[in-house]
Amino acid sequence: MAATLSTALDLHFTSSHSSDAKTPFFFSSPLRIRTRRFTIFCKSKPPLDLAEPQQNPSLCEQLKPLSLTILSDTKKDQPPQPHLVSKPKSIWVNPSKPKRSVLSLQRHKRSSYSYNPQLSDLKLFSRKLNDCYLSESAFFAALEEIPHPPTRENALLILNSLKPWQKTHFFFNWLKTQNLFPIETIFYNVTMKSLRFGRQFQLIEDLAHEMINNGVELDNITYSTIITCAKRCNLFDKAVVWFERMYKTGLMPDEVTYSAVLDVYAKLGKVEEVLSLYERGRASGWKPDPIAFSVLGRMFGESGDYDGIRYVLQEMKATGVEPNLVVYNTLLEAMGKAGKPGLARSLFEEMVALGLTPNAKTLTALVKIYGKARWGRDAMELWERMRSNGWPMDFILYNTLLSMCADLGFEEEAERLFDDMKKSEQCRPDSWSYTAMLNIYGSGGEVEKAMVLFEKMSESGVKLNVMGCTCLIQCLGRAKRIDDLVRVFRVSTERGVEPDDRLCGCLLSVVSFCEEDEEVEKVLSCLQKANPKLVSFVKLLEEEETSFNTIKDEFREILNEATVEVRRPFCNCLIDICRNRILHERAHELLYLGILYGLYPGLHNKTAEEWSLNLRSLSVGAAHTAFEEWMGTLSKVMKRQEELPELFSAHTGAGTHKFSQGLASSFASHLKKLAAPFRPSEEVAGCFIATREDLISWVQSRFASTAITA
């Protein structure tokens, strides 16, 4: 862990839950927690008075994840703490009672099979049962042809050979009706494992209760099967119930069951319980396998807890466990969620240096990390290494690379990737590959390339999806090729593309920058087929007699029917349409409704020193409207002679993306047109600032009696 960690501290306490019969003893026994592990789930608070532990009965309540712990937050008057130079030895602090083991270090022994001279006949019969029609009557009819009497060994062999879980269940129920021999634990275990493949937890649980009622022993394999099936079915609470029942019956879980339960508690987000289980298991002599460390790594990765990930790596090194490919994949994904691209790269290089060959999942995880961090060049260098080393690539990896190129504006690199896919025998471009390329060409304004690609999709028989259609229509709309846009929309819908809210938002944005009425009507005719109510609302905005209350009610209904992610774009486009048609009052009404319905959170921010306007999530027209509204409000504040801050700022964002729409430059032009005293900040890109004196002078000269107009 970090060098600032203190030396080991022994925290002696007894859980207040130790008397609770519902809580397993491994969560209630006295724990010794070292600083290197304690910080993983401790709040950053002043040090506890360890000299008098009885005065700290709520110690357990003060535990929280390491991701929320700030190691540098210490009081100035505290002396510097020494570095942890060696791993302290773990000891339990309750010498009056022996350490109780929480798991069996011996895996459950599986039954051995003796030689059966009837093996070939029984296998052939099992194959016939597997091939028969999947119905209870057909299965029982096939059973009549059994070549040998169903002895215990023969029945077990057939039960193990049946693949569909339904037939395994049929045969098991049939065996119970024959009363040929006692149905032992192994028969239940084999049946449960088959049911687990079909994710039939309820049937498995019913069999478990049947075993309990009939006095049949539940062994480690039984509990492990029940718990892992519950986990696969996302019934984590059920898994916990059966795990706790093991201890109540006096049965110790083996390593397989223990690792499965670690994953269950991790999926439930119970970090403290997972760490308690892990520590108690280690104290019992358990040496975790790579699967257990994968569980820990995934758990810390879900919360982006980098210190927890480092803890996993240190524990693997301390226990001498060599990470396999599964562990590395898990840790790489965790590094991505923790936002550590550099460390993810180092971990990948370490894996390659150990001689492990990355698979497609490994490479996909690393490419996603690079793309999220906007490390485009590193991702393309990785692709070159994939080609030169012959590392495996699949559709997901190729499409992830193409999507990253679309996000970063790497047109040439994307074209090389796409050509590479077309030459591949296993990974020919699919619908999502073409969509990524349409996105790249559409964002870059490459209309001709986009149309050629669209035609190739038709020739190759690749189905166009709604996302690709949206990218192409957006590209054609910006290029003012309205006739081609109408044709693409018609062809797409004829091929089965169902317009969604994103496509409707794209058509609405095209309407916002159409200049000719004829063009507007053509685009609205397409939108009419996708969302007639939206077209009616656009026309309603143009009618002077339409009241504000009518606009409010209709707009609320449109937003309620739209998905959450398109509500703000809808409002932005509608404001742009109003401004382009010189309907400024309507634009201000829509902005007010957008703020009222929570579409623009954080638009205004006020402190005693600064008032700021956050325009990052607004379109160009909406940003202009918001600025005018802001200045109008400032004029009213000045009339009331209220106190104003020293500084005013408007934030548009830097717009560093290659294909960004240039809100900053458009807003700068608007400020210049208004002769507003805002100037670009020298410290923050995409930020415009003005002093109180300059702004008051400008507002007084411009707003003698009325609000701003464009």
Side-chain angles (χ1 to χ4, degrees):
M1 304 296 282
T4 56
L5 292 179
S6 65
T7 53
L9 298 177
D10 292 343
L11 303 181
H12 304 232
F13 67 92
T14 302
S15 171
S16 59
H17 300 286
S18 59
S19 61
D20 189 352
K22 296 182 180 180
T23 304
F25 72 86
F26 44 82
F27 292 148
S28 58
S29 298
L31 297 179
R32 175 192 184 281
I33 309 178
R34 300 191 300 271
T35 299
R36 61 192 293 274
R37 293 175 181 170
F38 177 74
T39 53
I40 291 179
F41 47 89
C42 260
K43 288 186 179 178
S44 179
K45 287 190 174 183
L48 297 168
D49 184 5
L50 301 182
E52 296 179 354
Q54 69 275 12
Q55 297 180 8
N56 297 300
S58 60
L59 180 59
C60 291
E61 299 174 2
Q62 299 180 32
L63 302 179
K64 73 183 284 190
L66 177 61
S67 58
L68 302 179
T69 300
I70 305 175
L71 298 178
S72 60
D73 284 353
T74 56
K75 294 183 178 180
K76 294 182 179 180
D77 57 349
Q78 291 179 346
Q81 297 180 340
H83 298 304
L84 183 65
V85 294
S86 63
K87 180 181 178 181
K89 184 179 179 180
S90 296
I91 55 174
W92 296 96
V93 299
N94 191 353
S96 63
K97 295 181 181 180
K99 290 186 295 183
R100 289 185 290 177
S101 178
V102 293
L103 80 162
S104 171
L105 300 181
Q106 299 295 326
R107 291 196 177 188
H108 187 91
K109 292 184 178 180
R110 301 183 182 274
S111 302
S112 58
Y113 298 96
S114 58
Y115 173 71
N116 191 335
Q118 302 165 351
L119 180 63
S120 58
D121 293 340
L122 293 172
K123 282 191 173 181
L124 182 62
F125 176 68
S126 299
R127 194 175 300 117
K128 290 181 179 179
L129 290 178
N130 287 331
D131 293 339
C132 76
Y133 186 72
L134 188 59
S135 71
E136 197 169 7
S137 58
F139 185 81
F140 287 152
L143 270 178
E144 297 178 358
E145 302 178 11
I146 188 169
H148 302 285
T151 63
R152 178 187 181 280
E153 289 72 20
N154 292 351
L156 196 56
L157 192 149
I158 294 173
L159 193 64
N160 260 312
S161 303
L162 296 175
K163 296 298 181 183
W165 65 266
Q166 294 94 334
K167 293 183 178 180
T168 304
H169 198 222
F170 291 158
F171 186 71
F172 180 71
N173 289 335
W174 178 81
L175 278 179
K176 289 189 293 184
T177 62
Q178 301 302 303
N179 295 321
L180 299 172
F181 45 80
I183 304 298
E184 305 168 5
T185 303
I186 188 172
F187 286 92
Y188 282 95
N189 289 345
V190 172
T191 304
M192 285 181 176
K193 286 191 174 183
S194 180
L195 294 173
R196 183 176 60 183
F197 281 110
R199 299 177 185 270
Q200 299 298 311
F201 177 77
Q202 189 56 55
L203 290 177
I204 289 178
E205 191 173 47
D206 291 342
L207 289 179
H209 287 300
E210 181 182 306
M211 294 175 71
I212 296 171
N213 295 333
N214 295 339
V216 181
E217 179 189 5
L218 281 71
D219 59 16
N220 249 300
I221 295 177
T222 312
Y223 280 108
S224 178
T225 306
I226 296 171
I227 291 169
T228 52
C229 182
K231 187 180 71 170
R232 292 182 185 181
C233 298
N234 295 325
L235 300 172
F236 303 120
D237 291 332
K238 285 282 190 180
V240 170
V241 169
W242 283 98
F243 178 61
E244 293 179 356
R245 189 185 185 282
M246 288 187 71
Y247 286 98
K248 293 177 182 179
T249 59
L251 180 64
M252 286 292 174
D254 61 8
E255 295 178 345
V256 176
T257 310
Y258 207 72
S259 294
V261 171
L262 277 180
D263 195 18
V264 168
Y265 280 105
K267 293 282 177 57
L268 287 170
K270 297 184 176 181
V271 179
E272 295 178 25
E273 284 85 344
V274 173
L275 293 174
S276 177
L277 278 171
Y278 175 80
E279 292 285 357
R280 292 300 303 273
R282 293 281 290 114
S284 300
W286 174 48
K287 182 179 180 180
D289 58 8
I291 296 176
F293 284 117
S294 294
V295 169
L296 293 177
R298 190 182 305 112
M299 177 184 72
F300 288 121
E302 289 295 331
S303 59
D305 188 346
Y306 169 62
D307 289 307
I309 298 168
R310 288 200 305 172
Y311 167 71
V312 175
L313 293 171
Q314 288 182 349
E315 284 294 299
M316 294 185 72
K317 184 178 180 180
T319 55
V321 175
E322 289 290 337
N324 56 21
L325 191 58
V326 174
V327 176
Y328 273 113
N329 288 348
T330 302
L331 292 177
L332 278 174
E333 292 176 356
M335 290 290 188
K337 292 178 180 178
K340 302 290 182 180
L343 294 168
R345 179 171 58 189
S346 300
L347 192 65
F348 175 76
E349 296 299 339
E350 174 190 308
M351 183 195 76
V352 175
L354 289 174
L356 292 174
T357 301
N359 58 17
K361 186 176 181 180
T362 315
L363 300 169
T364 301
L366 195 58
V367 168
K368 286 182 178 179
I369 292 171
Y370 287 164
K372 186 177 180 180
R374 307 190 70 81
W375 287 15
R377 297 304 170 190
D378 293 85
M380 299 316 298
E381 289 175 5
L382 178 62
W383 177 53
E384 294 295 342
R385 289 178 66 183
M386 296 178 204
R387 300 179 66 188
S388 60
N389 294 328
W391 289 341
M393 298 183 68
D394 59 8
F395 276 115
I396 297 176
L397 179 53
Y398 267 115
N399 289 341
T400 301
L401 281 166
L402 284 173
S403 297
M404 184 210 66
C405 290
D407 290 338
L408 301 180
F410 288 176
E411 184 177 320
E412 295 181 3
E413 291 82 351
E415 289 176 340
R416 289 170 54 206
L417 269 169
F418 194 71
D419 291 338
D420 198 41
M421 287 188 74
K422 290 191 289 186
K423 297 174 183 177
S424 171
E425 296 181 0
Q426 293 82 18
C427 301
R428 304 284 293 178
D430 63 357
S431 178
W432 294 107
S433 310
Y434 278 96
T435 297
M437 292 304 300
L438 286 173
N439 186 19
I440 292 170
Y441 290 145
S443 300
E446 300 281 357
V447 183
E448 295 301 332
K449 288 184 177 181
M451 288 302 295
V452 169
L453 195 65
F454 175 71
E455 299 298 338
K456 285 184 178 180
M457 290 183 71
S458 303
E459 297 171 2
S460 304
V462 179
K463 185 177 180 180
L464 180 68
N465 57 41
V466 66
M467 185 66 72
C469 177
T470 302
C471 295
L472 186 55
I473 284 178
Q474 187 177 32
C475 175
L476 293 170
R478 288 175 183 163
K480 305 294 180 65
R481 293 176 56 166
I482 305 303
D483 290 334
D484 287 332
L485 181 151
V486 173
R487 182 174 68 85
V488 167
F489 181 83
R490 176 180 54 79
V491 172
S492 300
T493 52
E494 289 174 355
R495 292 182 185 175
V497 173
E498 292 288 339
D500 61 0
D501 285 339
R502 291 178 183 271
L503 180 53
C504 293
C506 178
L507 290 170
L508 201 61
S509 69
V510 174
V511 174
S512 69
F513 49 75
C514 282
E515 299 175 354
E516 302 293 334
D517 290 341
E518 183 181 355
E519 294 178 342
V520 171
E521 291 302 321
K522 289 180 179 179
V523 179
L524 287 179
S525 66
C526 296
L527 187 57
Q528 177 71 29
K529 299 176 182 177
N531 193 333
K533 189 169 292 187
L534 202 54
V535 175
S536 299
F537 185 72
V538 171
K539 294 180 178 179
L540 195 65
L541 293 172
E542 299 175 353
E543 299 175 2
E544 294 183 4
E545 62 274 11
T546 304
S547 66
F548 171 74
N549 287 332
T550 302
I551 296 294
K552 180 180 179 180
D553 294 339
E554 293 295 327
F555 188 52
R556 181 174 61 245
E557 187 174 347
I558 287 174
L559 293 181
N560 287 336
E561 294 179 0
T563 55
V564 175
E565 59 267 16
V566 303
R567 291 174 181 174
R568 184 167 59 209
F570 274 12
C571 190
N572 283 338
C573 291
L574 290 169
I575 292 174
D576 289 347
I577 291 172
C578 290
R579 291 190 67 89
N580 290 345
R581 301 199 173 193
I582 321 300
L583 301 171
H584 289 134
E585 185 177 351
R586 289 289 192 222
H588 283 268
E589 289 176 352
L590 287 171
L591 178 66
Y592 168 77
L593 292 175
I595 297 172
L596 180 66
Y597 296 142
L599 303 183
Y600 302 108
L603 182 62
H604 301 101
N605 185 36
K606 292 183 179 182
T607 65
E609 297 80 19
E610 180 182 357
W611 286 7
S612 63
L613 183 68
N614 183 7
L615 303 172
R616 293 180 179 89
S617 62
L618 279 69
S619 62
V620 172
H624 294 174
T625 305
F627 179 76
E628 294 166 3
E629 194 75 29
W630 195 38
M631 292 297 100
T633 302
L634 179 62
S635 175
K636 296 175 183 177
V637 172
M638 290 170 55
K639 288 180 180 179
R640 295 194 297 266
Q641 296 183 346
E642 296 179 7
E643 187 176 354
L644 295 174
E646 290 288 341
L647 191 66
F648 293 81
S649 61
H651 301 265
T652 61
T656 55
H657 193 288
K658 178 180 178 181
F659 299 142
S660 63
Q661 301 304 302
L663 175 60
S665 59
S666 175
F667 187 70
S669 300
H670 186 64
L671 292 175
K672 186 177 181 180
K673 177 182 177 182
L674 297 174
F678 284 84
R679 66 182 188 280
S681 171
E682 298 178 356
E683 299 177 354
V684 181
C687 175
F688 301 84
I689 57 177
T691 62
R692 177 176 56 191
E693 291 72 17
D694 292 342
L695 198 56
I696 289 176
S697 175
W698 178 73
V699 170
Q700 287 175 341
S701 64
R702 187 170 181 86
F703 296 96
S705 58
T706 59
I708 290 181
T709 56

